[in-house]
Every structure is written in structure tokens, then in C-alpha cells.
Amino acid sequence: AKSHGGGRAVAHRPDLDTAVLTSPALAARLEQALDAGELEVFYQPVVELASGAVTGTEALVRWRRDGALVPPDEFLPVAHSTGLVVQVDRFVLQRAVGQLTAWDAEGLGTEGHYVGVNFSVRSLERRGLVEEVLAVLGAAGLSPARLLVEVTEEAAASSAAVRATLERLRAHGMRVALDDFGTGYSSLAYLEQIPADVLKVAKPLVDPLDAEPATDHVLRALVALAADCGLEVLAEGVETERQRRRLLGLGVSRAQGYLFSRPLPAEEARGRLTAYPEL
Ligand code: C2E
Ligand code: CA
Ligand code: CA
């Protein structure tokens, strides 16, 4: 879904083209940014479709560079190729866990409100990752069940070592979500082998629900397959009321998207942690 496709991405994304040409400079700037505290975390609520209750949030990194807010797609490819993404992931994990603890202390969110954190394949390949995550949770006094580890199906399918790490995280009580599901190639073949709890259905599969009549054959099949595999389905990129209604009809339990809220800074997200009953 993202900028993984080499030639295609460069051909269609002039902004990315620049990023590729200046990648050493960009990497150096990012390294400084990590030290200077220029990275921030935004939060997007995850909503239970039937009740409108907010069951959690997803933590999404942002770079405040010279006053402008740089989205992750513009610096994560470079962060990934240089390995800096490990520091980015670690920063976001620490910040998100701290935020959840702060919200808990204020009595915000529903019982067991969780935070979803994106883990790159680089992070998952690191020795000691599981212990590090447990230490961060332990220091904050948070139960591992409060963390949803989000990995792309591409990352999860990449190696047996990554899958073993996911197994271990789950054995310690964390939940694992397969991110961007339905946009890769290996989807169905790997679904049974990947240790996961949640299937995050990518926006391209949600978009056609707006058509009249809706084209929902793939989504329908995925929901059935997920149920067979014991996975909960979470729809991403929900922007319209019609999509929400149809997802509910298909048996999708949770969703996130602009219909409910854009990703927001912690202070603004704070006011969005209660239910969306008006929908
Ligand atoms: P993702 O994990 O699939 O995150 C969802 C993306 O969809 C976010 O983009 C979010 O802002 C956007 N989104 C949410 N709802 C809607 C909607 O209704 N409509 C539309 N058009 N977009 C919506 P964002 O924040 O730009 O992040 C892009 C990607 O960067 C993320 O995709 C994730 O793969 C990656 N990422 C973000 N933070 C981190 C991080 O801390 N570590 C790592 N490794 N990757 C991260
Ligand atoms: Ca994600
Ligand atoms: Ca996603």
C-alpha cells in the first residue's frame, strides 16, 4: 500500500522522488530530529461499530520539521533503509505507553482501552525486542494486553524468525494485528501461519463499499475467513456513514477512519476517547 514498489512509486510520486535523491541528507536530519525531540505521536480512535464505543487508539508518528508536519510515508522509507526506523518505533512505543498510562490516570477511555503501535520488520528482527517491550510496559505498570502490535502482512510473512517473535509477544499477553490486509500478495496463503489476533482490512477494500450497489465480495470472503481463523476484523479508512452501515452488516466489529476522527495530537485525541453514539 505504501511506497514499497520501487519504480512505480518514483514514477508517480514526485515528493518521494526528492526523498530518494536526498536520502543521506534526509537520514542525517532524521537522526538529529530524534535527538532534538522533533518527532511526535498522533492518536486515532478505534471504534466499536455496534455501540460507537472507543475501544482503543492507534499511535502514528509525525515529524514536526521547520514548523511543518511531515507524514510518515515521507521519511519512513529512508528510516527503514538506514535502520533508524528502530529508533522511531522505540520512541513511539515509549510515548504511546506513557500516554495510555496518563489517560488511565485521568479515568479516560473504556475499560481495557488499548493502544496500537506499528512495528517495522527491522524492529521485529532485533534480538531482545520482546524483553524491551515488556520492560517498557512493566515500567509504566501496564498489562501487555493493553498493547496491540501492528505488523504488515509483508513483515509477518518475511521470515520464520519474525513469526517466532510474534508468537512470543502473544505468549506474553500482547495482541498482534495484521496491518494493511488485502493489499499484499501473500495474504491468504500466509493467514493460517501468521500468529495474529486482529485483521486490519486496508482502505482499498473499504472504499468500494460506497458504490451503489456495493462491491463487497472480497470483504465478505475475508470476514468469513477471519472468523474461521479466529481473527477479529478491524476496517481501516472508514470515511462515510454508508461504509459504516455496510461494514456493520458484514459483521465487521471495529473500525477507524476520518468518519470518526483523524489522527490527532494527544491533547486533542483526549476529547475523542468516549463513545460516538450520534452515528
Ligand atoms: P497504517 O498503519 O496503515 O496507518 C493508517 C494510515 O491511514 C495513517 O496514515 C492514517 O492517518 C491514515 N488514515 C486513517 N484513517 C483514514 C481515512 O479515513 N482516510 C484516509 N485517506 N486515511 C486514513 P499515516 O499516519 O500517514 O501513516 C502512514 C503509515 O506509516 C502507517 O500506515 C504505518 O504503516 C506507518 N507508520 C506510522 N507510524 C509508524 C511508526 O511509529 N512506526 C512504523 N514502523 N510505521 C509507522
Ligand atoms: Ca497500523
Ligand atoms: Ca493499515
Side-chain angles (χ1 to χ4, degrees), residues 183-267:
T183 57
Y185 300 99
S186 52
S187 324
L188 303 183
Y190 277 93
L191 197 51
E192 281 187 304
Q193 289 176 39
I194 296 173
D197 305 275
V198 178
L199 200 129
K200 292 192 80 169
V201 174
K203 190 170 182 297
L205 288 176
V206 173
D207 286 339
L209 290 182
D210 244 350
E212 196 61 72
T215 35
D216 61 4
H217 301 98
V218 177
L219 201 52
R220 235 173 239 285
L222 271 187
V223 169
L225 190 62
D228 273 357
C229 297
L231 293 162
E232 185 191 328
V233 179
L234 197 164
E236 293 191 280
V238 179
E239 295 183 344
T240 69
E241 171 56 25
R242 182 189 277 181
Q243 289 170 338
R244 187 195 70 89
R245 250 190 349 260
R246 287 182 167 163
L247 286 166
L248 201 51
L250 286 172
V252 172
S253 55
R254 299 183 199 201
Q256 60 190 97
Y258 296 169
L259 174 65
F260 308 105
S261 172
R262 289 179 176 263
L264 296 168
E267 312 74 60

Side-chain angles (χ1 to χ4, degrees), residues 88-159:
V88 173
D89 288 351
R90 188 184 291 136
F91 165 79
V92 173
L93 173 70
Q94 281 171 344
R95 183 58 70 82
V97 163
Q99 191 58 60
L100 194 55
T101 313
W103 282 335
D104 274 0
E106 291 184 68
L108 293 163
T110 45
E111 184 83 15
H113 186 111
Y114 69 85
V115 68
V117 174
N118 295 285
F119 282 70
S120 70
V121 66
R122 290 269 203 157
S123 294
L124 294 167
E125 281 168 344
R126 277 187 59 249
R127 206 178 281 279
L129 185 266
V130 177
E131 289 68 26
E132 196 181 295
V133 175
L134 285 170
V136 171
L137 290 167
L142 270 194
S143 148
R146 308 288 300 283
L147 181 66
L148 180 68
V149 173
E150 301 201 3
V151 298
T152 60
E153 55 165 334
E154 206 177 5
S158 68
S159 73

Side-chain angles (χ1 to χ4, degrees), residues 149-191:
V149 173
E150 301 201 3
V151 298
T152 60
E153 55 165 334
E154 206 177 5
S158 68
S159 73
V162 165
R163 286 193 291 281
T165 297
L166 297 177
E167 286 284 17
R168 288 187 58 215
L169 291 168
R170 291 178 79 216
H172 282 287
M174 279 157 261
R175 291 186 310 140
V176 170
L178 276 185
D179 212 345
D180 300 337
F181 200 82
T183 57
Y185 300 99
S186 52
S187 324
L188 303 183
Y190 277 93
L191 197 51

